[in-house]
Amino acid sequence: MASNFAARANQALMQSSPQWRLVVWLLLMLSASLWTLQLWQNGARVQSDILAMLPHLQQDKLTERALNQVEATLADQVYIALVAKDETKAIAAAKLLMQKLEADLVARGKQGALTDIRSADMQLGEALGQFYFPHRFKLLTAPQAEALASQNIESLIEAATAQLYNAFSYANSNLLAQDPLLLFPANLLTLAPSSKVRASQGILLANQGDNVAAVVMAKGRESAFNPNAQLAQMTVLTQGLDAVKQSYPDITVLKAGALFHALAATQTAKSEISILGLASLLGVIALVWLAFRSVMPLLLAIVTISSGLLLAVTFTLSVFGELHLLTLVFGTSLIGIAIDYSFHFYCERLSNTERSAKATVAYIFPTVTLAFITSALAYVGIGLAPFPGMQQVAIFCAAGLLGAYLTLILAYPLLAGSRLPEGSRPLALAGTYLACLTQLSKRFTTPLGMGMFALVILIWCLGGITKLTVDDDIRHLQQSPASVTGPENQLRQLLSGGTDNQFLLVRAPSEEALLQQLERVSPMLNAAIANQELGNYVSLSRYLPSHQKQDTAYRLQGEIYQTQLEQVLTSLGLDENLKPELQAAYLAAKTEYITPAAFFTLGAGKQLAPLWLAPNEANSPVSNGALNDGGVSAEHGADQGADYGAIVLLGGIQQIDTLKARFAHDESVQLIDKVADISAVMGHYRLLTLKLLALALGIALLLFSLNFGFKNAAVVVAVPALAALLTLATLGLTGSPLSLFHALALILVFGIGIDYSLFFASAQNHGKAVMMAVFMSACSTLLAFGLLAFSQTQAIHYFGLTLSLGIGFTFLLSPLILTTTLALTTNQLLTTKKS
């Protein structure tokens, strides 16, 4: 059926004129160009966000909201530490930097690249004091609660007396009149998280050995992974830091934030696109010139590549609306594959100079078409991976191959009509190589030769594959240089470990239940810190006591204001006339509670609002202005009837597995580790991809059996199958761990290797021409993918290395298709004659 369809299509092509084919091709390229231009004008863009490459996790709504909330809150933060030898200089440098950044924000208004420029909030303590003071009767520290529970009020009186006679005490007559035991100041101090940092003159300070670091923070107005936003944010930062360096030359700058990782990734990708793409293009041009010694094949090679890249960009933008930088890096390999059609065309012309361009296209049409279909299906196999970026690679390369294929079918019959110079030397070299392989194949056809060959392959495969390890860590997608990670690690240490990507999601059916859950989790995290499993954490339980805890504190303070108030006032020498007012204030506070809604209206509350997830987002404090600076938008929709949730940020994680074990049996507490979850998904799809490869080999065997018979089809399929096994064995012998990117590359080894096998299986009397074409194809492919193996991004490196090995083995094995077939046919004829 397939062969009949190809024959009918070929006949239709032969009947059409080369002029009309060229007109159709020109109209197609013009339409693609105009459509691509319109897409760019309508907002299509180049995407450098590495997060866009990550697979989509299947999560419940609350978990998905929590992930989005954390990413939106933390992703665009920028941290700058200015390290000086003395505190005065560090503070002055930080103030100068903030002044420069704020000047840009004022000049640009709401369009400033960096917003929310801050260091220490000197008014934070005062604002918190004003908020919590009316609720002082429902606040107690752990020692205060223990003293009142044991009716040891004398210890509280002694502590208050000590404060009265302390020259540096915060006690004053107004405070004593409303809080005679001075319980509130101690509660206010517990709100400040334990940290190595301190504040002076509005600047956050931390000690770094004998030096002092002043920390300045800001938030990007747009995503740090947007190339335009990167440029704008770095421009503002550079100008500010240059001004600091001019005034304080001996200042050391430490930088941290996603901006600097994204910038490094963008620069690496752009560099690799230009260097690898240019090197691949120059290599292909040199290859064409050395083989054909003519300008026209060179020009048509460039036209073929250009048309392929045009359709690749057009299809990718049409489907995704954007083009990822890593897609372009992978896409440079398209140059080495798209040019294969040109090689096969011109090598066939060299082998038969009397044949016209139109007749040559018709001659190779069935094999080229089958090769295009198998290669395109191989790329579609890559598109089954859960990575949007890899799906882009699949669309980009499949569409690029389509452009090259259509250029061969439609444009070559007229544009490639000129005669070629004498090509006997390249063909002679190809013939000599084939002759050597033929002699080698004769040895393999003997029982001893086949046994020795099989034994060598078996030992190699078993020795390598048994040593093969697995590594699905998603962090291999991007590894920032030491110039980025080094300063960031120093800054994280200054800020007590900073915040990690992992966090706790605590859920409960009601607001009060959630607050109680948070209070239960905090002691467990404190124990983890004590065991050095964790560096620090940020939880709302510090700021939002549950109603139950507030009621307990209120009841315990009844011991003071209902039974012991006279003793307290007398012991402290206070006026007994304060008793009615204090008791009235105590009774009035009974129904007043500290609530999340009220807390999130504060400045400090707005900063912590992203940690609170109410079921109905539209009515939660988060959406009512608390997260104007980067919270989850209402597009995620309301979660009517769902649980309440709270995020607990974790920092300085040292033993993630031990930490997970603490909450393993608690359904209400979930440790969200997106990196580990995505890595697990990668492992699942690695196995799925290898199974897909085995299935593709089986389908190819059945399909090719229709054209070549089962025995020949088995030989055709055996080449890419054996090349894949040898590649895996070599990876094992060289110590390269197996990942999803290796598996995806093996899919392409299959797609490209099948092409080589098909051409040799269909070679008939044109073995020299096919050998030359396959040699040039393999060289161009190895140029493209071999260069990818030098990428600084491990994912691309793995991809390029695997393809380089696979295509190399395929090139060495595929000529054996022709030679072995000829040897077997000869042996059969000899056997028939003898019989």
Side-chain angles (χ1 to χ4, degrees), residues 402-589:
L402 176 63
Y405 172 78
L406 292 176
T407 301
L408 171 69
I409 303 301
L410 300 176
Y412 273 52
L414 185 62
L415 296 181
S418 59
R419 287 184 175 274
L420 290 174
E422 180 59 38
S424 57
R425 180 172 175 77
L427 288 174
L429 291 173
T432 302
Y433 181 68
L434 268 180
C436 294
L437 286 177
T438 302
Q439 293 297 321
L440 186 64
S441 297
K442 289 180 180 179
R443 297 182 181 181
F444 289 158
T445 54
T446 64
L448 179 61
M450 292 180 69
M452 291 295 293
F453 179 74
L455 182 61
V456 170
I457 296 296
L458 182 63
I459 292 174
W460 190 344
C461 290
L462 287 178
I465 292 177
T466 53
K467 292 183 178 180
L468 197 61
T469 58
V470 172
D471 186 358
D472 298 307
D473 195 336
I474 189 62
R475 283 167 289 198
H476 291 160
L477 256 180
Q478 178 187 349
Q479 288 186 321
S480 297
S483 59
V484 174
T485 57
E488 180 172 88
N489 290 334
Q490 292 183 52
L491 187 47
R492 285 172 65 89
Q493 292 301 317
L494 289 176
L495 299 177
S496 301
T499 302
D500 292 326
N501 294 321
Q502 298 88 352
F503 62 91
L504 290 182
L505 175 60
V506 183
R507 62 180 77 212
S510 67
E511 184 178 281
E512 171 63 12
L514 179 59
L515 293 174
Q516 292 182 26
Q517 288 279 35
L518 287 172
E519 291 169 354
R520 185 179 59 83
V521 167
S522 290
M524 300 172 71
L525 292 175
N526 291 333
I529 293 175
N531 290 339
Q532 297 184 340
E533 301 165 18
L534 182 68
N536 61 83
Y537 67 93
V538 178
S539 173
L540 286 171
S541 64
R542 187 185 297 275
Y543 305 94
L544 293 173
S546 64
H547 283 201
Q548 182 185 60
K549 186 175 182 179
Q550 292 181 61
D551 286 338
T552 300
Y554 184 82
R555 177 178 54 79
L556 289 174
Q557 290 201 48
E559 179 70 17
I560 302 171
Y561 294 101
Q562 291 184 321
T563 61
Q564 303 287 339
L565 188 54
E566 290 184 7
Q567 178 188 346
V568 169
L569 294 176
T570 302
S571 300
L572 296 174
L574 300 177
D575 190 347
E576 292 185 2
N577 292 327
L578 294 174
K579 180 179 177 180
E581 294 181 14
L582 286 169
Q583 288 182 331
Y586 172 80
L587 293 173

Side-chain angles (χ1 to χ4, degrees), residues 357-373:
K358 180 180 178 181
T360 303
V361 170
Y363 177 77
I364 66 173
F365 174 78
T367 307
V368 168
T369 301
L370 194 55
F372 162 69
I373 292 172

Side-chain angles (χ1 to χ4, degrees), residues 82-87 90 198 205-214 250 252 490 494:
L82 303 171
V83 184
K85 292 183 178 180
D86 61 83
E87 183 173 309
R198 63 185 189 282
L205 300 174
N207 292 330
Q208 188 189 46
D210 295 332
N211 299 326
V212 178
D250 57 343
T252 300
Q490 292 183 52
L494 289 176

Side-chain angles (χ1 to χ4, degrees), residues 28 40 44 63 70 84 167 169 281 343 363 401 427 444 449 464 518 535 617 692 786 796 810 813 833:
L28 179 64
W40 281 116
T63 304
V70 171
S169 173
L281 184 60
F343 290 158
Y363 177 77
L401 284 181
L427 288 174
F444 289 158
L518 287 172
E617 250 177 39
L692 178 67
I796 300 175
T810 303
L813 294 171
K833 287 182 179 180

Side-chain angles (χ1 to χ4, degrees), residues 659-702:
L659 197 60
K660 282 183 178 179
R662 287 183 177 274
F663 306 101
H665 304 292
D666 192 338
E667 295 182 357
S668 63
V669 183
Q670 181 182 1
L671 198 153
I672 306 295
D673 187 355
K674 188 175 182 180
V675 171
D677 293 341
I678 293 175
S679 297
V681 171
M682 286 183 67
H684 169 73
Y685 276 91
R686 172 180 46 78
L687 291 173
L688 185 62
T689 302
L690 292 175
K691 292 177 182 177
L692 178 67
L693 177 60
L695 178 62
L697 288 169
I699 293 173
L701 178 61
L702 294 175

